[in-house]
Amino acid sequence: MTERFYQDPYQTRLATRVLSHDDAGLTLEDTLCYPLGGGQPGDSATLTLADGATLRIADTRRDRETRAILHQTESDARFAPGTEVTLALDWDRRYRHMRIHTCLHLLGVVIKAGVTGGNMTAESGRLDFALPEGMELDKEHIEAELNRLVAADLPLAVKMTSGEALKAQPELIRTMSVTPPLHLPEIRLIEVEGVDLQPCGGTHVARTGEVGRVRVKKIESKGARNKRVVVELAE
């Protein structure tokens, strides 16, 4: 299966064929749909058959054992291997995911502390930080710094490294709760030019300016020194 969301996260339509379809889900030869992972939700989409009939894909997951991408359909219908279909991504939802996910990278730039957790939807995203002793968070300052980085319109780029090379650069691993698969020969890094470089398997916009103006929705305490910062798109 070709995972085209990595080759071009802006592609919205794809002609492909069914590989298999059973109770676990629908597997295609190629897909645009990002599977749930790394705090980013799985994509939704519409599948159109040659006769014009459509099928809603409500969610996308990755099989833990086979690593195949499984499209979760809202119908009991099953399609035979080789069936030709056209996949149309729910682009508005995916693009909001890309904007919010990129914003979370910027949040990690503004707050220089270890990340203990995170999650996101199409409406908002959050990171949990283990703050060093004496460090306090100011909502207005964080929001201003986020919007400064957005306004700078910095380019993002994908870089590849190896697990061995990443072991030698532990400062690039920001998440304290999840370690990248360091046994792999290739690990994907996301670079925000001049300000951030870290391993990440999600989808992102091409430039920070696409994020648009953001707001810090709230800051919550999740322990003595653990703070949750929730951000949302303002436009």
Side-chain angles (χ1 to χ4, degrees), residues 100-137:
I100 291 171
H101 200 149
T102 303
C103 180
L104 292 179
H105 280 244
L106 300 181
L107 185 61
V109 172
V110 174
I111 303 175
K112 301 188 183 305
V115 176
T116 59
N119 210 342
M120 55 176 282
T121 68
E123 285 71 45
S124 65
R126 56 94 172 166
L127 290 179
D128 297 344
F129 295 93
L131 301 185
E133 188 69 31
M135 182 178 181
E136 299 295 336
L137 298 182

Side-chain angles (χ1 to χ4, degrees), residues 4 24 26 51 60 66 92 94 102-103 106 109 123 126 159 175 197 199 201 204 211 216 234:
R4 293 180 181 268
L26 171 68
D51 63 3
T60 308
T66 67
D92 288 345
R94 154 71 84 74
T102 303
C103 180
L106 300 181
V109 172
E123 285 71 45
R126 56 94 172 166
K159 301 187 175 225
T175 52
L197 179 66
H204 308 81
V211 173
V216 175

Side-chain angles (χ1 to χ4, degrees), residues 14 27 47 49-51 60 62 83 117 163 168 172 175-176 194 198-199:
L14 173 69
T27 305
L47 205 65
L49 281 70
D51 63 3
T60 308
R62 191 184 291 277
T83 301
L172 298 183
T175 52
M176 301 168 65
Q198 62 176 290

Side-chain angles (χ1 to χ4, degrees), residues 44-126:
S44 53
T46 300
L47 205 65
T48 303
L49 281 70
D51 63 3
T54 61
L55 184 71
R56 177 72 177 162
I57 294 171
D59 196 5
T60 308
R61 304 290 177 101
R62 191 184 291 277
D63 187 278
R64 291 186 177 181
E65 294 183 2
T66 67
R67 306 303 294 164
I69 293 178
L70 303 173
H71 305 79
Q72 310 296 310
T73 62
E74 293 183 338
S75 168
D76 293 331
R78 297 288 182 264
F79 302 119
T83 301
E84 295 184 352
V85 296
T86 298
L87 186 65
L89 193 65
D90 184 347
W91 173 244
D92 288 345
R93 180 172 177 266
R94 154 71 84 74
Y95 191 50
R96 290 181 70 87
H97 289 163
M98 291 165 61
R99 292 168 64 198
I100 291 171
H101 200 149
T102 303
C103 180
L104 292 179
H105 280 244
L106 300 181
L107 185 61
V109 172
V110 174
I111 303 175
K112 301 188 183 305
V115 176
T116 59
N119 210 342
M120 55 176 282
T121 68
E123 285 71 45
S124 65
R126 56 94 172 166

